[in-house]
Amino acid sequence: MLKHILKQKHHQGDAKCISSATPTEEINGAGNLMDFLDEPFPDVGTYEDFHTIDWLREKSRDTDRHRKITCKSKESIWEFIKSLLDAWSGWLVMLLIGLLSGTLAGVIDLAVDWMTDLKEGVCLSALWYSHEQCCWTSNETTFADRDKCPQWQKWAELMTGYTEGAGVYVLNYFLYVLWALFFSFLAVSLVRVFAPYACGSGIPEIKRILRGFIIRGYLGKWTLLIKTVTLVLAVSSGLSLGKEGPLVHVACCCGNLFCSLFSKYSKNEGKRREVLSAAAAAGVSVAFGAPIGGVLFSLEEVSYYFPLKTLWRSFFAALVAAFTLRSINPFGNNRLVLFYVEYHTPWYMAELVPFILLGVFGGLWGTLFIRCNIAWCRRRKTTRLGKYPVLEVIVVTGITAVLAFPNPYTRRSTSELISELFNDCGALESSQLCDYINNPNMTRPVDDIPDRPAGPGVYSALWQLALALVFKIVITIFTFGMKIPSGLFIPSMAVGAIAGRIVGIAVEQMAFHHHDWIIFKNWCRPGADCVTPGLYAMVGAAACLGGVTRMTVSLVVIMFELTGGLEYIVPLMAAAVTSKWVADAFGKEGIYEAHIQLNGYPYLDQDEFTHRTLATDVMRPRRNEPPLAVLTQDSTTVEDVETLIKDTDYNGFPVVVSRESERLIGFVQRRDLILAIKSARQKQDGVVSNSVVYFTEDAPQIPASNPQPLKLRRILNLSPFTVTDHTPMETVVDIFRKLGLRQCLVTRSGRLLGIITKKDVLRHMAHMMNQDPESIMFN
C-alpha cells in the first residue's frame, strides 16, 4: 500500500534534472526553500526528539534524490562514477556493519568466558585464559579430570594452599559473591554516569525506532561503547540475563555509526531505518550464530518497512557478521555456536505428546513471566524503588550469587548450563546427568548406547535441576528491566531447557522400565536407544522462548541453526506453535510489546480494530474545544506565526485559503516554520514582525512602504493525506499502520474540519479497550 501511494504521489515519468534543486524543494517542487536563499537550508525535514518521522516525505525525498543522481550520471564520466558509488554505498555499509558487529560479538564472548571463570579462580600460566583454555594448554590434564589442571587454581587454593575443607568452601563462596557484586556495581555505575540508554535489552526501543520513532542518543557512539563494556560485566556477574538481546542493540549502534558516514543515510531517516533493519539481523546472527534466523527475526519481529533490497542486504550483513565471528572462533570448537549437538536417534510420532506439553508449559511460563515482570517494572517506575537503581542491582546480584553458588547448575554460566542440558549422553560424558547404570556385557558402538536405568547421579541432578528451575523462574522476573544491559533469550531458554531435560529423563525411564506399554511397544524395543533427553531440552528451550517473545518462524530457524538439529524441525515447530497459542489465549502481547506500552511509546499493534466509529468521532477539535489552529495562505504575519508557535505545541499546522472558507491548501511542519523564520530574519533584509507570510505561488505587488513579505511556499506540503469525516476508524487505523503517518487531515468537500494525529488514534484505541488513554506519553 505504501508503494502504491508513493507512485501516485510521485509520478516518475519524464523527469527533468534540475541541478539547483535543494533537499526541501525535492519534496514540493522546483525552486529554492525561500526566494532569498541560494544555498540548501540546513535542518529542514529533520525531527525533534521523541517524535515520529514522516515516512511518505522521507521516501519522496529519496526518490527525488535518486532521480537527480540518475539524470546527472548522463552528463559526465565522473557523475556516472559517483552514481555507481552511491548505488554500492549500501553494500559497503552492510560490509562494515557485519565486520564490526562480528568483531565486537567475538570480543564480548571471549571476555565473558574469562570474567565468568575469574569469579572462581585464575590461570597461573596466563592470567587472560579462562578455565577451559587454561587446561587445554596444560600437558598434565587427563581425560577423566579434564576440568582440573595444576595451572588453574581456585582462589581459596591460591590463598591458603588447601583444596578441600569447610574453610576453603566458605572462602570460595565469599569471593564468588564479592566478584559478582563488583562486576554488577561497575556495570550499573557506568550505565548511570555515561550512557543511560545502554541499559535493558534494547529490542523494545529498536522496534519503535524501526517504526519511525526518534530517540536521540539511543544509537550513539557512547551508548555503543558503554553497552559493549557493561554487557560483559553484567553477564559475568552471574545475573539471570543474556547477551543476545543487547547484541541486537550493539549491532544497530554500529549501523547508525556507519550511516553517519554517508549522506544518503544520514540525511534520510527512512533510509537509515533500512540499514538498522539489516543491522538487527546481523546482531541476531552473531548472538546465536544464526544468519538466516537473524534475517527472519528482523523481518518478523522488529522491522516495519522491509523492502526486497533490504532483505538481500540483511542477508549479506548477517553473512559477513557470522563469517567474522567464525574467524575469531570464540567458543574454540570451530563452529559458530556454543550449543551444537549431534543426536544419534530419530524422534518418534508418540513423542509429539510430551513435545506439545512442553509447548503448553512454555506458553504458561511466558504469560506468568510477562505479567509478573511488567507488574514489578510498573512498581519500580511508580514507587521510590526506581530512585535507587544502583542499590536494586546490588541487592538482586547479592541474592542471585548467594543462592546460585551452592547449586552447580546455577553457579556456572547460563550458556554452559544450556549446552550441558542439550548434550546427548555418550560414552565419554562425565556429567551427573549421564550417570546411568551400564550393562557390562554391552558391545554396541559408542554412538548407539541403548536406554539404561538412571543411576544415583541422575536422580541427584534431577533434584538440583528442579531447584534451579524454581530459582531461574523467580529471579529472572526481578532481573529483566534493571538499569544494566540484560537480555531475555538465554534465561528463557534456560528455563525451558531445564524443564525439557527433566521431562526427557522421565520419558526415557518410563520407556526403559515399561517398554511393554502400548505407547512404547511399537517403537521402543528392549535394548534400543529410544529417547534422547537432550532433544526434550532443546524443544523446551524453544517453547519457553516462544512463549515470552511470541516468535514462531524465526524462532524455529534460530533453534535449528543454533544446534544444528535440522532433523528435529517438526518437534520445534510443534512446541513453538503450541506455546504461542497458549500464551495468546491469556494476552496477545509479547514481552517487548508489553515493555513498549509500559514506557508509553506510541505503538500501533497489529490487532484488528473492530469498533464502529468514524473519523469525526476522533478528530480534533471536538465540541467545546477551541477551534483548530490554522494558517492562512496570504493574510498571516510573522508575528502571528511566532505567537501561534509559542502558544501551542502542535507538530504542524494546516494552511487554508481563509478562515471564512477553510478550503485546505496544504500542511506545514512546526520545525520547518521555526527554522525558516529564524533563517529569514538572519539572511533577508526587511523581514520584521509585520511581514506577511505568503504560501501562494506568487506574492501580490505591495507598496514600497510595506514590510518585505516572506514567501514560504517551498516548505508547504501541498499533498497532505486527508480523509473525509465519515471515513470508518477501522480504515483510518489501517492507513496509519501501513503508511506510518504522523497525522491526517479531515475534510468535507475540500473544507477543513479537523485533524487526527497518531496520538489521537492511540488514545481512541485505548479508550475503546477500556484502558487509560493518557498512558500514551509521546507525540
Side-chain angles (χ1 to χ4, degrees), residues 367-383 385 477-478 591 594-595 598:
T367 302
L368 172 68
F369 175 81
I370 291 171
R371 292 190 177 181
C372 293
N373 179 254
I374 292 300
W376 177 251
C377 291
R378 184 174 289 113
R379 183 175 180 81
R380 180 190 292 127
K381 290 172 69 74
T382 57
T383 63
L385 179 65
I477 291 172
F478 296 97
I591 185 64
H595 272 270
L598 177 69

Coordinates of all heavy atoms in Angstrom, one line a residue, residues 367-383 385 477-478 591 594-595 598:
T367 N 3.4 -16.3 29.8 CA 2.3 -15.5 30.4 C 2.7 -15.1 31.8 O 2.5 -13.9 32.2 CB 1.0 -16.3 30.4 OG1 0.7 -16.6 29.0 CG2 -0.1 -15.4 31.0
L368 N 3.1 -16.0 32.6 CA 3.5 -15.7 34.0 C 4.6 -14.7 34.1 O 4.5 -13.7 34.8 CB 3.9 -17.0 34.7 CG 4.5 -16.8 36.1 CD1 3.5 -16.4 37.1 CD2 5.2 -18.1 36.6
F369 N 5.6 -14.9 33.2 CA 6.8 -14.0 33.3 C 6.4 -12.6 32.9 O 6.7 -11.6 33.5 CB 7.9 -14.5 32.4 CG 9.0 -13.5 32.3 CD1 10.0 -13.5 33.3 CD2 9.1 -12.7 31.2 CE1 11.0 -12.6 33.2 CE2 10.2 -11.8 31.1 CZ 11.1 -11.7 32.1
I370 N 5.6 -12.5 31.8 CA 5.2 -11.1 31.3 C 4.4 -10.4 32.3 O 4.7 -9.2 32.6 CB 4.5 -11.3 29.9 CG1 5.4 -11.7 28.8 CG2 3.9 -9.9 29.6 CD1 4.7 -12.1 27.5
R371 N 3.4 -11.0 32.9 CA 2.6 -10.3 33.9 C 3.3 -10.0 35.1 O 3.2 -8.8 35.6 CB 1.4 -11.2 34.2 CG 0.4 -11.4 33.0 CD -0.9 -12.1 33.4 NE -1.8 -12.2 32.3 CZ -3.0 -12.7 32.4 NH1 -3.4 -13.2 33.6 NH2 -3.8 -12.8 31.3
C372 N 4.2 -10.9 35.6 CA 4.9 -10.6 36.9 C 6.0 -9.5 36.6 O 6.2 -8.6 37.4 CB 5.5 -11.9 37.4 SG 4.3 -13.1 38.0
N373 N 6.7 -9.7 35.5 CA 7.8 -8.7 35.2 C 7.2 -7.3 35.0 O 7.8 -6.3 35.4 CB 8.6 -9.2 34.0 CG 9.7 -8.2 33.6 OD1 9.6 -7.5 32.6 ND2 10.8 -8.2 34.4
I374 N 6.1 -7.2 34.2 CA 5.5 -5.9 34.0 C 5.0 -5.3 35.3 O 5.1 -4.1 35.5 CB 4.4 -6.0 32.9 CG1 5.0 -6.4 31.5 CG2 3.6 -4.7 32.8 CD1 6.0 -5.3 31.0
A375 N 4.4 -6.1 36.1 CA 3.9 -5.6 37.4 C 5.1 -5.1 38.3 O 5.0 -4.0 38.9 CB 3.2 -6.7 38.2
W376 N 6.2 -5.8 38.2 CA 7.4 -5.4 39.0 C 8.0 -4.1 38.4 O 8.3 -3.2 39.1 CB 8.4 -6.5 39.1 CG 9.7 -6.1 39.8 CD1 10.9 -5.9 39.2 CD2 9.8 -5.9 41.2 NE1 11.8 -5.5 40.2 CE2 11.2 -5.5 41.4 CE3 8.9 -5.9 42.3 CZ2 11.7 -5.2 42.7 CZ3 9.4 -5.6 43.5 CH2 10.8 -5.3 43.7
C377 N 8.1 -4.0 37.1 CA 8.6 -2.8 36.4 C 7.7 -1.6 36.6 O 8.2 -0.5 36.8 CB 8.8 -3.1 34.9 SG 10.2 -4.3 34.6
R378 N 6.4 -1.8 36.6 CA 5.5 -0.7 36.9 C 5.7 -0.2 38.3 O 5.6 1.0 38.6 CB 4.1 -1.2 36.6 CG 3.0 -0.1 36.8 CD 1.7 -0.5 36.3 NE 1.6 -0.7 34.9 CZ 1.4 -1.8 34.3 NH1 1.3 -3.0 35.0 NH2 1.3 -1.9 33.0
R379 N 5.8 -1.2 39.2 CA 6.1 -0.8 40.6 C 7.4 0.0 40.8 O 7.5 1.0 41.5 CB 6.1 -2.0 41.5 CG 6.3 -1.7 43.0 CD 6.2 -3.0 43.9 NE 6.3 -2.7 45.3 CZ 5.4 -2.2 46.1 NH1 4.2 -2.0 45.6 NH2 5.6 -2.0 47.3
R380 N 8.4 -0.4 40.0 CA 9.7 0.3 40.0 C 9.5 1.7 39.5 O 10.1 2.6 40.0 CB 10.7 -0.5 39.2 CG 12.0 0.1 39.1 CD 12.9 -0.5 38.1 NE 13.3 -1.9 38.4 CZ 13.1 -2.9 37.6 NH1 12.5 -2.7 36.4 NH2 13.4 -4.1 38.0
K381 N 8.7 1.9 38.5 CA 8.5 3.2 37.9 C 7.7 4.1 38.8 O 7.8 5.4 38.7 CB 7.8 3.1 36.5 CG 8.7 2.5 35.4 CD 8.0 2.2 34.2 CE 7.5 3.5 33.5 NZ 8.7 4.2 32.8
T382 N 6.7 3.6 39.6 CA 5.8 4.4 40.3 C 6.0 4.5 41.8 O 5.3 5.2 42.5 CB 4.4 3.8 40.1 OG1 4.3 2.5 40.5 CG2 3.9 3.9 38.6
T383 N 7.1 3.9 42.3 CA 7.4 4.0 43.7 C 8.9 4.5 43.8 O 9.6 4.7 42.9 CB 7.3 2.6 44.4 OG1 8.2 1.7 43.8 CG2 5.9 2.1 44.2
L385 N 11.3 2.9 44.7 CA 12.3 1.9 44.2 C 13.1 2.3 43.0 O 14.3 2.1 42.9 CB 11.6 0.6 44.0 CG 12.4 -0.6 43.5 CD1 13.4 -1.0 44.6 CD2 11.6 -1.8 43.1
I477 N 12.4 -12.8 36.8 CA 11.3 -11.8 36.8 C 11.8 -10.5 37.4 O 11.5 -9.4 36.9 CB 10.1 -12.4 37.7 CG1 9.5 -13.5 36.9 CG2 9.1 -11.2 38.0 CD1 8.4 -14.2 37.8
F478 N 12.7 -10.6 38.4 CA 13.2 -9.3 39.0 C 14.4 -8.8 38.4 O 14.8 -7.6 38.6 CB 13.5 -9.6 40.5 CG 12.3 -10.0 41.3 CD1 12.0 -11.4 41.5 CD2 11.4 -9.1 41.8 CE1 10.9 -11.7 42.3 CE2 10.3 -9.4 42.5 CZ 10.0 -10.7 42.8
I591 N 6.7 -9.9 25.4 CA 7.4 -9.1 26.4 C 7.8 -7.8 25.9 O 7.8 -6.8 26.6 CB 8.6 -9.9 27.0 CG1 9.2 -9.2 28.1 CG2 9.6 -10.3 25.9 CD1 8.4 -9.0 29.3
A594 N 4.9 -5.5 25.5 CA 4.4 -5.1 26.9 C 5.3 -4.0 27.4 O 4.8 -3.0 28.1 CB 4.4 -6.3 27.8
H595 N 6.6 -4.1 27.2 CA 7.5 -3.0 27.7 C 7.4 -1.7 26.9 O 7.6 -0.6 27.4 CB 9.0 -3.5 27.6 CG 9.4 -4.2 28.9 ND1 9.9 -3.6 30.0 CD2 9.3 -5.5 29.3 CE1 10.2 -4.5 30.9 NE2 9.8 -5.6 30.5
L598 N 4.5 -0.2 28.5 CA 4.8 0.3 29.8 C 5.6 1.6 29.8 O 5.3 2.5 30.6 CB 5.7 -0.8 30.5 CG 6.2 -0.4 31.9 CD1 5.1 -0.4 32.9 CD2 7.3 -1.4 32.4

